[in-house]
């Protein structure tokens, strides 16, 4: 039995083969051990493999007397010389002999060793199961490969919908783009959750939101009261008072209307338009107001119209005068022939048919003919008559025009004001500020202030938040003409505020504003 027989037999069985020497330190003689043999990793005072095994199997006796080692041979690279130089090294129990030359024997036992393939801990991140000349690794979560040494790329499936993936061991983390949240960055952040639109409706976007503001409010968060007075809507010296989604004009004496556009003069009433129209459309508009396009019949009236137009629209303005369709003759609004006087531009009037007359803004508001289809502003006229219902105080004479839509008071001596409510002398100095009306008392006066102002002379903004009490947990916000009570955490509150008769002071009405807020505004 040769050493090669021992080697091939062990290898065929999937096992390692030991040499005559065990191969550990000091036991690697070239005659008795070679690098192909396995090495004994235990401790033993003997170098010989049979002696090491004898000690383990039979105790401290000679291997010749150890039955389990009977007829066993080990690889011995250069134990012999001559014809048996390639012989294995063997032991015989029956004859109590060792040092048998394998070349002299057949059908003996090859001494082999089962190798523990897991002894070197080949599975970096897993559990090793030993096999015959092999091993198998059961990997921990997050690892793969034959030796469980490859970290599984948990980002390979691109799990972060709107973000950057960072791989971990059996896990991953997502760094989300702005506007996204969630483990996989697949949930859009609701930018409207904080109710950023103070007076409007919020529409959520990606990392943004937009507010659709209620009428009268502007700004990114609908928290800016639009100044309706910015366009100077009040004419002829009227004072504009800004409100939420509106304005009002405090008009000078002998003027009235939404924009102070209606003026009383010499027993007549004049309404100046803010829009342009063709002459026929302007005439119909005046008729709808129970009036007619203005007829100019004297120089004083033309001067009044020119001055008033210059102080309001400044635009060319239609008169009622027009020529007949078939002859160059001018007629008033009632069909009567034109009798003058009217100051005309040089070379006017034109001797043509079917023309209309205007006061020309580029010619000092002198008369000029123009096609009736042109678009120009216009003035409606109506006679002042006694009011159907007297609105004047202290014996004042009430006259009105345009179907009682505009009224004027002729005050008796000692009284003044739009409705003769001011006793001249006491209120003549106009002591009431911010549009407050002065009322004369006996040797004194008092001011009636518009909503949002207070004080003896209406000189101070009303401090609503010091005079009212919002519900518990709500915060008061003062907007001059009204106030707002808002809960600072509408989401935490969870349900909308319900207005009741106790929500606002007398004379004011409650309006729900969003999820958890309400306003109190003056009753009209």
């Amino acid at each position: 039995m040769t050493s090669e027989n021992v080697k091939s037999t062990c290898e065929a069985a999937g096992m390692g083969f030991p040499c005559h020497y065990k191969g550990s330190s000091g036991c690697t003689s070239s005659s008795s051990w070679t690098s192909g043999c396995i090495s004994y990793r235990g401790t033993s005072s003997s170098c010989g493999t049979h002696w090491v095994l004898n000690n383990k199997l039979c105790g401290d006796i000679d291997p010749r007397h150890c039955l389990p080692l009977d007829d066993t041979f080990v690889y011995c690279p250069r134990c012999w010389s001559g014809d048996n130089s390639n012989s294995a090294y063997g032991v015989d129990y029956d004859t109590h002999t060792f040092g048998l030359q394998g070349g002299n024997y057949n059908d003996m036992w090859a001494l082999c060793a089962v190798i523990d393939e897991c002894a070197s801990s080949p599975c970096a991140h897993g559990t090793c199961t030993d096999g015959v000349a092999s091993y198998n690794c059961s990997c921990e979560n997050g690892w793969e490969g034959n030796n469980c040494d490859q970290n599984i790329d948990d980002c390979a499936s691109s799990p972060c919908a709107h973000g950057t993936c960072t791989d971990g061991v059996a896990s991953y983390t997502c760094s989300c783009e702005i506007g996204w949240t969630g483990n996989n960055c697949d949930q859009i952040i609701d930018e409207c959750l904080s109710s950023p639109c103070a007076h409007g409706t919020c529409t959520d976007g990606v990392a943004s939101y937009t507010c659709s503001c209620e009428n009268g409010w502007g700004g990114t968060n609908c928290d800016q009261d639009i100044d309706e007075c910015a366009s100077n809507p009040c004419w002829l010296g009227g004072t504009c008072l800004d409100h939420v989604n509106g304005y009002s004009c405090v008009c000078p004496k002998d003027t009235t209307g939404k924009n102070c556009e209606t003026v009383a003069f010499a027993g007549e009433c004049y309404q100046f338009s803010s829009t342009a129209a063709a002459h026929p459309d302007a005439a119909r508009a005046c008729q709808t107001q129970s009036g007619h396009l203005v007829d100019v019949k004297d120089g004083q009236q033309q001067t009044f119209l020119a001055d008033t137009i210059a102080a309001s629209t400044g635009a060319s303005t239609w008169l009622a005068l027009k020529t007949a369709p078939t002859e160059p003759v001018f007629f008033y609004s009632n069909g009567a022939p034109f009798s003058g006087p009217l100051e005309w531009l040089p070379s006017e009037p034109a001797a043509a048919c079917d023309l209309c007359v205007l006061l020309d803004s580029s010619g000092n508001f002198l008369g000029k003919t123009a096609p009736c289809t042109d678009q120009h502003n216009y003035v409606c006229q109506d006679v002042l008559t006694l009011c159907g219902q007297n609105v004047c105080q202290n014996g004042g004479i009430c006259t009105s025009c345009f179907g009682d839509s505009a009224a004027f008071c002729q005050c008796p001596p000692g009284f003044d004001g739009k409705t003769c409510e001011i006793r001249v002398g006491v209120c003549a100095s106009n002591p009431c500020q911010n549009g407050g009306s002065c009322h004369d008392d006996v040797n004194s006066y008092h001011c009636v202030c518009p909503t949002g102002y207070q004080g003896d002379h209406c000189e101070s903004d009303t401090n609503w938040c010091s005079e009212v009490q919002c519900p518990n947990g709500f915060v008061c916000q003062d907007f001059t003409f009204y106030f707002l009570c808002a809960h600072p955490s509408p989401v935490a509150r969870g349900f909308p505020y319900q207005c009741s008769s106790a929500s606002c002071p007398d004379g004011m009405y409650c309006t729900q504003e969003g999820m958890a807020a309400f306003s109190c505004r003056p009753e009209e």
Side-chain angles (χ1 to χ4, degrees), residues 157-280:
S157 62
S158 301
C160 306
H162 298 278
T164 302
C165 185
T166 301
D167 184 42
V169 176
S171 66
Y172 62 89
T173 56
C174 293
S175 299
C176 299
E177 299 168 3
I178 295 175
W180 295 91
T181 187
N183 291 336
N184 293 326
C185 301
D186 54 357
Q187 300 173 25
I188 189 169
I189 295 174
D190 187 358
E191 308 291 342
C192 291
L193 196 61
S194 62
S195 302
C197 306
H199 298 279
T201 302
C202 184
T203 301
D204 186 40
V206 177
S208 66
Y209 62 90
T210 54
C211 293
S212 300
C213 300
E214 300 169 2
N215 291 336
W217 294 93
T220 301
N221 293 326
C222 301
D223 54 357
Q224 300 175 19
D225 182 8
I226 294 175
D227 184 5
E228 278 82 12
C229 289
S231 61
N232 299 315
C234 303
W235 294 353
L236 305 175
T239 300
C240 184
L241 300 177
D242 182 43
H243 307 299
V244 176
N245 192 32
Y247 67 92
S248 61
C249 293
V250 180
C251 299
K253 185 175 176 61
D254 292 330
T255 62
T256 189
K258 173 67 175 176
N259 297 317
C260 307
E261 73 278 7
T262 305
V263 185
F265 175 76
E268 297 287 332
C269 195
Y270 300 88
Q271 188 176 86
F272 295 80
S273 76
S274 60
T275 58
H279 193 277

Side-chain angles (χ1 to χ4, degrees), residues 1-4 6 73-76 79-80 84 86-90 99-103:
M1 186 169 187
T2 67
S3 290
E4 288 302 319
V6 173
F73 285 78
V74 295
Y75 190 95
C76 193
C79 287
W80 323 107
N84 289 327
N86 65 345
S87 292
Y89 183 100
L100 301 181
Q101 295 184 18

Side-chain angles (χ1 to χ4, degrees), residues 417-476:
K418 297 289 288 186
T419 59
C420 307
E421 75 278 12
I422 303 172
R423 187 183 297 275
V424 176
V426 180
C427 291
S429 62
N430 298 317
C432 303
Q433 303 174 30
N434 296 307
S437 60
C438 183
H439 294 262
D440 185 55
D441 300 325
V442 179
N443 297 322
S444 65
Y445 66 91
H446 70 274
C447 296
V448 177
C449 302
T451 301
Y453 294 97
Q454 62 181 0
D456 292 340
H457 300 94
C458 307
E459 73 278 8
S460 303
D461 292 348
T462 300
N463 189 349
W464 293 110
C465 292
S466 67
E467 298 184 6
V468 299
Q469 182 67 46
C470 288
N472 186 34
F474 283 66
V475 177
C476 179

Side-chain angles (χ1 to χ4, degrees), residues 254-258 260-264 268-271 289 382-389 391 398-409 418:
D254 292 330
T255 62
T256 189
K258 173 67 175 176
C260 307
E261 73 278 7
T262 305
V263 185
E268 297 287 332
C269 195
Y270 300 88
Q271 188 176 86
Q289 296 290 328
D382 191 21
V383 65
L384 282 168
T385 59
L386 292 176
C387 298
Q389 181 178 359
V391 296
C398 182
T399 55
S400 66
C401 54
F402 299 115
D404 265 355
S405 63
F408 301 89
C409 291
K418 297 289 288 186

